[in-house]
Amino acid sequence: MLYLLTGCAGFIGSCTTEQLLTAGHTVYGLDNRNDAYDPVLKEWRLQQLARHARFHFCPLDITDRSALSAWVFSALQNEGKTSTDGNSKEISEKNGFDACIHLAARAGVRYSVENPWIYLDTNVTGTLNILELCRETNTKKLVMASSSSVYGNTQEEIFRENQPTDTPCSPYAASKKAGEALAYSYHHLYGLDVSALRFFTVYGPAGRPDMSILRFVHAIAEGIPLRLYGNGEQERDFTYCDDIAAGVISALRPVGYEIFNLGGDHTYSIRELIEIIARQLEKSPIIECFPAHPADVDRTCADISKARQFLDWEPCWTLENGIAQTISWYLANRDWVRELRTLRAE
């Protein structure tokens, strides 16, 4: 199969690309390798993917519509899917890519409060550009990344896909909700088959250094203060990266237009998370407490029954086992990982 995958140097994107390549598929991946967190980690991920002959990478920004279109039609020409002049009319009677997996995004709830414009540019305008490419290349299937953040600070104990999502707590959450709405319009107008996936706190080896788990591992392993925002009773539905990547691939099947939660099926408090990491490292954490951030929500908890039913998917990894893998990766790579700019940032 032939896939276009945006955000291939990102955490979820690289895990998904690795699973697709290992299964023998061809992946055309793009990523602008921005500095939202230290690009050194993104380069490391790309080096792992470059071992596969069927991986083709281009350093593109999804907001650059003309460059994006030129590269995509060149890729399809290379695969014999379009004419030598890259004319989209030549592929109107056949599919371009077997599917587009759109995982590129500006991530991070807190920074979106400081710079909302870049989130709207990437997550809304960039998503629109990808939707247009699907239409122009006659690519019939889109799997796209959304987020549990769209649920806001809901009072519901368990988050279900059919509950209201009209009260996002950050520009990031609002931009992901807008992406879902845009995708629905392309399903309605052009018959694009869409799986929109709401991810719940993804973690694992080579994870984002601006997120809590890798920062906690780093702080406890190195014996430096750990910054805890709020009282630590906030609850999260942590989901291991390999489970998420498997869910993305399961969502390639035709569904019409559907939204799916992909979560770990269990919630843990932040203090419980710290205890698990400290116990596995056999070290005592040094905790510095700070006020809760207004863009953070109190709780996330995914109802994944719809993904079980439609996608035959459910998580396999426990938090204990996933943390063990994350710690092993950190310790094996600590000489360069502990120097990552965002990991060390205050």
Side-chain angles (χ1 to χ4, degrees):
M1 304 290 275
L2 179 66
Y3 296 111
L4 173 64
L5 195 147
T6 73
C8 64
F11 181 32
I12 299 172
S14 61
C15 291
T16 304
T17 303
E18 180 71 39
Q19 289 192 15
L20 289 169
L21 293 169
T22 300
H25 303 297
T26 298
V27 178
Y28 281 81
L30 58 91
D31 198 296
N32 69 353
R33 300 176 295 184
N34 64 60
D35 62 355
Y37 57 84
D38 201 322
V40 170
L41 183 55
K42 300 176 184 182
E43 295 298 336
W44 183 88
R45 295 177 187 139
L46 286 172
Q47 289 172 12
Q48 314 313 304
L49 298 175
R51 298 173 299 175
H52 296 272
R54 293 179 179 272
F55 177 60
H56 307 275
F57 174 69
C58 187
L60 270 180
D61 193 316
I62 59 172
T63 64
D64 188 342
R65 185 180 176 190
S66 59
L68 185 63
S69 181
W71 180 71
V72 164
F73 277 101
S74 176
L76 290 173
Q77 178 184 328
N78 186 56
E79 296 293 329
K81 293 283 189 175
T82 186
S83 64
T84 55
D85 63 0
N87 190 338
S88 61
K89 293 180 181 178
E90 296 294 327
I91 60 170
S92 60
E93 297 303 320
K94 55 184 177 179
N95 291 344
F97 295 95
D98 289 292
C100 173
I101 301 173
H102 176 38
L103 304 176
R106 272 283 175 165
V109 169
R110 294 174 186 172
Y111 186 63
S112 74
V113 178
E114 300 176 31
N115 186 359
W117 295 274
I118 198 167
Y119 285 77
L120 270 292
D121 287 344
T122 302
N123 298 354
V124 182
T125 303
T127 295
L128 177 60
N129 290 342
I130 295 301
L131 290 165
E132 273 293 289
L133 270 179
C134 288
R135 182 182 66 82
E136 292 170 357
T137 62
N138 204 29
T139 296
K140 299 294 189 181
K141 178 67 188 185
L142 175 71
V143 176
M144 63 179 292
S146 188
S147 169
S148 61
S149 297
V150 302
Y151 291 109
N153 229 342
T154 177
Q155 298 304 306
E156 297 290 338
E157 286 292 314
I158 299 177
F159 298 4
R160 296 180 175 86
E161 294 90 344
N162 60 356
Q163 73 186 61
T165 53
D166 300 326
T167 55
C169 293
S170 66
Y172 167 71
S175 71
K176 299 304 280 185
K177 174 66 175 177
E180 291 181 0
L182 272 172
Y184 181 81
S185 71
Y186 273 68
H187 164 72
H188 172 74
L189 291 170
Y190 308 113
L192 182 64
D193 193 288
V194 178
S195 299
L197 308 179
R198 292 175 177 169
F199 300 141
F200 283 69
T201 316
V202 186
Y203 74 99
R208 281 173 46 197
D210 59 326
M211 291 187 69
S212 61
I213 288 185
L214 195 56
R215 298 187 92 172
F216 291 172
V217 169
H218 167 67
I220 297 171
E222 306 303 333
I224 59 177
L226 176 159
R227 295 170 69 92
L228 175 63
Y229 292 89
N231 61 12
E233 298 306 314
Q234 310 97 307
E235 294 180 316
R236 294 291 180 269
D237 195 331
F238 297 105
T239 321
Y240 191 64
C241 55
D242 285 354
D243 282 335
I244 286 290
V248 171
I249 294 169
S250 293
L252 287 165
R253 66 190 62 187
V255 296
Y257 176 93
E258 294 290 347
I259 295 170
F260 299 100
N261 289 335
L262 295 188
D265 205 28
H266 195 293
T267 58
Y268 294 84
S269 73
I270 301 302
R271 288 197 178 274
E272 287 177 305
L273 170 65
I274 293 170
E275 290 171 2
I276 291 171
I277 295 171
R279 182 171 65 251
Q280 293 197 12
L281 283 168
E282 298 182 338
K283 292 192 174 186
S284 297
I286 306 168
I287 300 176
E288 292 183 348
C289 295
F290 294 84
H293 194 284
D296 289 342
V297 299
D298 295 330
R299 172 183 170 84
T300 63
C301 181
D303 178 345
I304 60 171
S305 57
K306 186 175 178 182
R308 283 193 177 106
Q309 178 183 353
F310 285 85
L311 306 181
D312 299 320
W313 175 89
E314 62 181 311
C316 300
W317 286 79
T318 66
L319 184 61
E320 291 271 358
N321 291 340
I323 292 295
Q325 292 295 314
T326 306
I327 290 174
S328 293
W329 178 85
Y330 176 84
L331 295 177
N333 296 277
R334 72 191 301 176
D335 287 345
W336 64 270
V337 173
R338 62 185 173 188
E339 298 302 320
L340 292 175
R341 170 179 48 78
T342 324
L343 193 62
R344 295 183 290 109
E346 293 296 322

